[in-house]
Amino acid sequence: MELEQIRFQINELNTELLHLFEKRMQLCGQVAEYKKEHHMDIFVPAREVEILEWVKANSKKEFATYDLEFFNCLLNLSRSYQQSIVGEGAAAPIPAVRTERLLLLPLSLEDAEPVFSLTSKPDITKYMRFDTHSSIEETRSLIARYCEPGNLAYKVLLAQTGEFIGVFALKISKEVPAAADVSLFLSPESWNLGYAGEILCVAEDMASNFMQADSLLAYVVADHIASCHTLEKAGYHVQKTLFFGEGDATLNVYQLSLHSKNN
Ligand SMILES: C=C(O[C@@H]1C=C(C(=O)O)C=C[C@H]1O)C(=O)O
């Protein structure tokens, strides 16, 4: 077939795809209106897993990875469009932060792949309050929780190269009133270089200025000596200890009062 003829057919398909895509987006807009009215989350991991599983089961072997990427892209666009509907008049966007060596940019579901490269590593998750992720969907759910309204969630990049090295989030504490809960994990290559200290300084600023928090909380596995030292150096004190796992591992709950700092 002549190139011109093939391109003619591609153009015809483009017309169909464009109409189908816009029809899909319109329906997603209706879902967003419903969610807005019923105060529901935009991101519904179970529904997305169902769709992606369906794609896997129905795609031609030759195109399977492309099909998945195409649908992942559709889901991302659908969420952004829904966000634009639900988010009207919502809180101000999260500001980017530059420290001496790091660039902190707002975290989003689009960062799931690099984040999964860390959340799937037992060497990292053994220090975290979540289990090692075996699927990217678990990571997407974690990101969605970190990005809930009122929280501040960032991806951590090296300022010089833009290389992704980890995740930092401040979440409204569910346990302690007016406290912000710090979550931080970095790739092992970035450990022991003082990055956590740099991020903890940002945490103090952001928690008092953007979250109106009175204190910061950090939950650290007691065995993680380096993290305990970093927090102690930044002025945090162990407020209590908890037991987890089989009951033999200790979690230190560190707290830093922001009042005493500010006054
Ligand atoms: C459209 C919805 O919202 C989101 C987007 C989806 C989609 O585009 O198909 C699916 C699940 C949700 O994460 C929905 O909840 O059905």
Side-chain angles (χ1 to χ4, degrees):
M1 209 189 301
E2 285 299 310
L3 181 62
E4 277 311 298
Q5 281 175 304
I6 305 174
R7 288 200 173 140
F8 178 82
Q9 290 189 27
I10 290 180
N11 281 346
E12 283 193 327
L13 280 182
N14 285 346
T15 310
E16 276 185 56
L17 277 174
L18 181 68
H19 288 150
L20 286 175
F21 173 64
E22 290 184 349
K23 235 171 157 175
R24 188 181 200 284
M25 289 294 263
Q26 258 163 10
L27 289 172
C28 293
Q30 288 176 26
V31 173
E33 296 292 354
Y34 181 93
K35 287 177 178 169
K36 189 175 180 175
E37 206 179 306
H38 295 84
H39 308 285
M40 289 163 67
D41 286 341
I42 289 178
F43 179 47
V44 183
R47 169 74 179 138
E48 295 201 9
V49 170
E50 182 193 356
I51 293 173
L52 296 174
E53 288 298 326
W54 173 85
V55 173
K56 264 193 235 167
N58 288 282
S59 56
K60 287 201 171 68
K61 204 171 163 208
E62 186 187 355
F63 297 122
T65 54
Y66 301 100
D67 289 342
L68 272 180
E69 201 169 323
F70 175 58
F71 271 83
N72 250 322
C73 184
L74 285 181
L75 294 172
N76 278 336
L77 294 169
S78 154
R79 268 184 264 106
S80 321
Y81 179 51
Q82 292 184 61
Q83 190 64 57
S84 75
I85 293 172
V86 173
E88 278 167 22
I94 294 177
V97 181
R98 170 77 206 251
T99 68
E100 199 188 328
R101 292 174 297 165
L102 303 172
L103 182 61
L104 309 185
L105 296 181
L107 182 70
S108 83
L109 287 166
E110 269 146 54
D111 302 310
E113 249 179 65
V115 177
F116 179 59
S117 72
L118 304 183
T119 52
S120 56
K121 281 203 177 81
D123 277 354
I124 295 178
T125 55
K126 70 179 177 201
Y127 297 126
M128 299 305 295
R129 278 173 289 166
F130 52 82
D131 293 331
T132 309
H133 290 179
S134 52
S135 83
I136 198 161
E137 287 317 317
E138 291 172 75
T139 302
R140 285 150 70 91
S141 303
L142 180 77
I143 294 176
R145 283 202 303 283
Y146 281 0
C147 295
E148 275 171 14
N151 296 343
L152 292 172
Y154 287 101
K155 54 184 164 187
V156 182
L157 312 179
L158 293 181
Q160 276 201 333
T161 59
E163 186 192 335
F164 168 87
I165 61 160
V167 169
F168 156 60
L170 285 175
K171 291 167 289 161
I172 297 171
S173 168
K174 296 207 163 82
E175 278 119 39
V176 181
D181 184 338
V182 183
S183 295
L184 173 65
F185 52 93
L186 299 175
S187 68
E189 300 76 49
S190 312
W191 291 354
N192 304 317
L193 295 172
Y195 293 139
E198 244 169 90
I199 293 169
L200 287 178
C201 289
V202 175
E204 280 185 43
D205 264 8
M206 302 304 270
S208 17
N209 299 327
F210 284 84
M211 297 173 80
Q212 279 76 47
D214 289 345
S215 68
L216 281 165
L217 292 174
Y219 295 74
V220 182
V221 178
D223 286 354
H224 200 195
I225 309 290
S227 281
C228 294
H229 281 167
T230 305
L231 286 163
E232 284 156 21
K233 215 169 121 191
Y236 288 68
H237 296 287
V238 178
Q239 181 233 355
K240 62 178 173 182
T241 52
L242 303 171
F243 296 97
F244 70 104
E246 307 290 275
D248 49 0
T250 313
L251 196 66
N252 286 342
V253 184
Y254 279 95
Q255 190 164 25
L256 176 76
S257 163
L258 296 169
H259 270 328
S260 56
K261 287 245 164 190
N262 296 339
N263 296 339

